[in-house]
Amino acid sequence: MKAFTYQRARTPAEAAAAAVSHPGARFVAGGTNLLDLMKLEIETPPHLIDINHLGLDRIEAAPGGGLRIGALVRNVDLAANMAVRRDYPVLAGALLAGASAQLRNKATTAGNLLQRTRCPYFYDPDQPCNKRVPGSGCSAIGGYNRNHAIVGTSEACIATHPSDMAVAMQLLDAGVETVRADGATRVIPIADFYRLPGKTPHIEHALHSGELITAVTLPPPLGGYQTYRKVRDRASYAFAPVSVAAVVQRDGSGRVALGGVAHKPRRTAAADAALPRGARAAVDSLLAGATPTQQNAFKIPLVQRTLEAVLADARKGQA
Ligand code: SF4
């Protein structure tokens, strides 16, 4: 691990200012992804800004009937929160499907959103990877790519986003609240938060340098049948080849989002509109233009079958 300096920030504005005055600095809270990346020297921040003591660990009712989730709320606490379990069960389900109990105890809401891909070549400094070293090439294209993306890919990168929670947040139209060093705040709709890889797969989200996530907001509850179904190679502590988050109302209308298939959670307005016509119609939109590899073409029928199962469960749950 490379040497680094450390500071404990006292306020969100102080943390954001410290990030600006220390180019290359990183915020650290749970550290469940960052510390691994530092040990492998994939991330080599010269300065760490500890944000654990900023008081951003509350879950509060938001004006208008939604929920405001502090950036430092631990995944375990968010999944167990009564308002989340009652009003946003798809979010609770996604959180409990992620990682392991030990990791959920440490991982935070903001950190979960910002975790990096689990593409094995990204974690191997001996292999070319455009996301780790821009312009070096992509070892997954033509390499081992069973778990990689099938839609929204580019010639530079075919990685997936690993977060389960982010898929539920995309489904729920969450907003990402931030603060900058000058004290300016904004809310980034989650639909605009993540980027597709394009030619710059190392740029993954809309945050500016030094911009700190302070909270994630949820609109008022949607009701309906909500579920997060994750298909994986083992029952725990595994990333999703495919996952489906859905809200289905009694009349068959609803929303659907996918994990494990793209560089960011996958959701389209056309798929939501097509949901009453069934899984096939929704998947046709969600996976339009898919370019799977030989190794991961199985994800297309797997998405189809998983959404069919979710819709069948929704019908049973509402019977
Ligand atoms: Fe790197 Fe992306 Fe290629 Fe994986 S898929 S090797 S993260 S450029």
Side-chain angles (χ1 to χ4, degrees), residues 117 119 121-122 128-131 137-140 148 156-159 201:
T117 184
C119 171
Y121 301 107
F122 178 70
C129 169
N130 287 321
K131 190 181 280 295
C138 173
S139 300
H148 286 69
C157 180
I158 58 171

Side-chain angles (χ1 to χ4, degrees), residues 114-194:
L114 294 176
Q115 61 182 296
R116 312 290 306 271
T117 184
R118 263 50 176 199
C119 171
Y121 301 107
F122 178 70
Y123 288 80
D124 183 348
D126 293 331
Q127 303 292 329
C129 169
N130 287 321
K131 190 181 280 295
R132 180 168 29 79
V133 182
S136 62
C138 173
S139 300
I141 296 174
Y144 174 73
N145 50 41
R146 175 180 181 272
N147 287 324
H148 286 69
I150 57 174
V151 69
T153 57
S154 74
E155 291 178 3
C157 180
I158 58 171
T160 55
H161 195 274
S163 171
D164 295 293
M165 186 194 77
V167 181
M169 293 293 194
Q170 176 88 33
L171 186 84
L172 295 168
D173 284 336
V176 182
E177 280 188 23
T178 69
V179 65
R180 291 194 235 183
D182 62 2
T185 60
R186 64 172 174 156
V187 179
I188 308 169
I190 195 148
D192 301 331
F193 185 74
Y194 293 114

Side-chain angles (χ1 to χ4, degrees), residues 84-109:
V84 172
R85 291 173 60 186
R86 181 187 63 233
D87 297 331
Y88 306 96
V90 64
L91 176 58
L95 284 157
L96 293 174
S100 65
Q102 293 92 334
L103 288 166
R104 292 194 294 271
N105 283 338
K106 290 298 290 178
T108 63
T109 303

